[in-house]
């Protein structure tokens, strides 16, 4: 059975606290449970104060068989930040711009760029699969997007890890691989009509909104948007082809900064990434007991301070 844990973002102490709350105990430096395994939904890094603690803990669990994990968009970005662009001398797949550096700063403080430990952890990120199909449940960072999973097939290995070339292609804006990685790791979006834009929480002007693809009741843009805050969005219907997950296999994902008390999003869909409007939020887990119909009673959480 699995305990699916949401985005950690460098909050090592909160993670240890959550594991203890679920009766995992540390044995020879590795957290274990006699009957259960953790599944991490990705986004181990950026923002938080304890990257080394968080990553050492997660990696040891994965390597010793007490946890599984998928890749988040922050790990994908970190790999691209670390990887020279084979087509442009001196450049990297992800630009070393002021903005990108800032987003990555908390991680780089603990894993200095180019150091041995930096290279080592980046090489571990490359071993994270893009998605996990465990038969009775599925886990992905943002969206189990069937069309994108099909596109990405030739770009992953037998363990669902992206091949080296996929990072090159996936960094080329507009390529099929780029869009597939965006959909799977960052979520699906809807383009606003001409003339509409809004500022996101980081002050960036955007002309696309992220969609609550899990909410079949939200068929018009203002209620279907997840990242537009109080922005004045046009009262338009979502396109008919807007992606929905309708498989019977329960799906778990992170990424979306859900609000309030953790609850399932549908009988077969649960998000485990929660925050409050104040910084920090909660570190959430869903304790799956083998059920095909998910239950609100299976969430546990701790405060993610700092
Ligand atoms: Mn994310």
């Amino acid at each position: 059975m699995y305990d699916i844990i949401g985005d950690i973002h460098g909050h090592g102490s909160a993670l240890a606290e959550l594991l203890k709350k679920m009766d995992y105990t540390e044995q020879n430096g590795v957290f274990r449970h006699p009957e259960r395994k953790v599944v991490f939904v990705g986004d181990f890094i950026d923002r938080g104060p304890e990257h080394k603690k968080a990553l050492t803990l997660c990696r040891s669990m994965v390597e010793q068989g007490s946890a599984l994990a998928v890749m988040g968009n922050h790990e994908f970005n970190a790999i691209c930040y670390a990887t020279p662009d084979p087509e442009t001398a001196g450049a990297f797949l992800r630009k070393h711009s002021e903005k990108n550096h800032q987003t990555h700063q908390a991680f780089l403080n603990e894993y200095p760029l180019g150091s041995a430990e930096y290279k080592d952890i980046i090489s571990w990120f490359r071993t994270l699969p893009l998605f996990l199909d465990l038969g009775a449940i599925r886990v992905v960072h943002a969206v189990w997007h069937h069309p994108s999973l099909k596109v990405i097939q030739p770009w992953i290995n037998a363990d669902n890890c992206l091949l080296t070339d996929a990072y090159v292609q996936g960094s080329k804006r507009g390529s099929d691989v780029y869009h597939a990685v965006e959909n799977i790791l960052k979520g699906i979006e809807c383009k606003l009509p001409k003339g509409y834009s809004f500022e996101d929480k980081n002050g960036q002007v955007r002309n696309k909104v992220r969609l609550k693809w899990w909410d079949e009741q939200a068929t018009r843009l203002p209620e279907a948007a997840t990242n537009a805050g109080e922005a004045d969005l046009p009262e338009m219907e979502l396109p008919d082809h807007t992606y929905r997950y309708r498989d019977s296999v329960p799906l778990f994902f992170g990424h979306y900064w859900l609000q309030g008390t953790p609850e399932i999003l549908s009988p077969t869909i649960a998000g485990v990434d929660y925050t409050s409007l104040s910084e920090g939020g909660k570190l959430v887990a869903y304790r799956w007991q083998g059920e095909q119909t998910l239950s609100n009673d299976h969430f546990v959480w701790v405060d993610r301070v700092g």
Side-chain angles (χ1 to χ4, degrees):
M1 295 301 157
Y2 299 104
D3 296 313
I4 302 100
I5 296 183
D7 306 26
I8 290 152
H9 286 302
H11 287 273
S13 294
L15 174 59
E17 201 190 321
L18 179 61
L19 288 168
K20 286 175 193 159
K21 195 168 182 174
M22 297 193 294
D23 298 323
Y24 284 72
T25 53
E26 208 172 343
Q27 299 165 24
N28 303 321
V30 183
F31 275 90
R32 292 180 188 280
H33 190 286
E35 284 135 29
R36 306 181 63 82
K37 277 186 193 188
V38 161
V39 186
F40 295 112
V41 300
D43 275 8
F44 299 94
I45 61 163
D46 296 331
R47 298 191 194 118
E50 294 175 323
H51 280 76
K52 207 154 269 179
K53 178 165 182 168
L55 284 167
T56 305
L57 201 162
C58 296
R59 184 175 179 177
S60 66
M61 287 184 77
V62 171
E63 290 181 344
Q64 299 302 318
S66 66
L68 300 168
V70 295
M71 178 180 283
N73 54 310
H74 283 258
E75 286 76 51
F76 179 86
N77 286 347
I79 293 165
C80 293
Y81 198 86
T83 308
D85 182 346
E87 292 164 14
T88 313
F92 289 83
L93 293 180
R94 183 169 170 84
K95 246 195 195 161
H96 288 196
S97 64
E98 186 65 34
K99 181 182 145 267
N100 289 345
H101 184 80
Q102 250 175 33
T103 315
H104 213 26
Q105 184 73 63
F107 168 75
L108 293 172
N109 287 345
E110 293 188 65
Y111 289 85
L113 193 63
S115 65
E117 48 197 350
Y118 174 82
K119 289 178 184 161
D120 184 50
I121 202 70
I122 295 289
S123 72
W124 182 64
F125 292 162
R126 287 179 179 272
T127 69
L128 297 170
L130 208 50
F131 56 92
L132 277 173
D133 192 341
L134 300 172
I137 60 168
R138 292 168 174 168
V139 183
V140 70
H141 184 62
V143 190
W144 193 275
H145 191 257
H146 284 288
S148 296
L149 292 173
K150 204 167 167 190
V151 168
I152 215 73
Q153 266 311 312
W155 300 90
I156 56 179
N157 67 17
D159 296 323
N160 300 337
C161 302
L162 288 168
L163 302 173
T164 308
D165 282 353
Y167 292 97
V168 180
Q169 285 303 315
S171 300
K172 289 182 182 164
R173 249 166 224 281
S175 75
D176 289 350
V177 178
Y178 174 86
H179 286 299
V181 169
E182 288 264 309
N183 288 335
I184 296 166
L185 296 186
K186 301 183 188 175
I188 50 174
E189 297 183 312
C190 176
K191 212 170 173 227
L192 293 172
K194 254 205 162 97
Y196 280 95
S197 65
F198 70 97
E199 270 189 27
D200 70 10
K201 62 177 173 14
N202 302 319
Q204 265 200 73
V205 177
R206 296 184 177 267
N207 57 10
K208 290 181 198 163
V209 288
R210 246 186 218 170
L211 296 180
K212 293 180 196 165
W213 50 267
W214 57 84
D215 186 351
E216 302 237 7
Q217 261 65 57
T219 59
R220 298 176 72 78
L221 202 54
E223 70 244 24
T226 63
N227 62 335
E230 301 295 300
D232 192 17
L233 298 175
E235 275 294 335
M236 62 178 257
E237 288 286 330
L238 295 186
D240 286 342
H241 61 260
T242 299
Y243 181 75
R244 304 295 184 184
Y245 179 81
R246 287 174 178 153
D247 297 358
S248 58
V249 180
L251 172 64
F252 296 92
F253 64 96
H255 187 62
Y256 281 92
W257 298 44
L258 301 172
Q259 307 279 323
T261 303
E263 55 183 19
I264 59 171
L265 300 167
S266 89
T268 51
I269 305 177
V272 286
D273 182 39
Y274 274 79
T275 189
S276 61
L277 288 174
S278 57
E279 285 303 304
K282 306 174 188 66
L283 184 61
V284 173
Y286 183 95
R287 309 207 76 184
W288 186 68
Q289 316 282 7
E291 68 276 17
Q292 261 203 305
T293 303
L294 304 179
S295 162
N296 288 335
D297 300 336
H298 292 187
F299 285 103
V300 291
W301 61 87
V302 296
D303 289 325
R304 190 165 48 179
V305 182

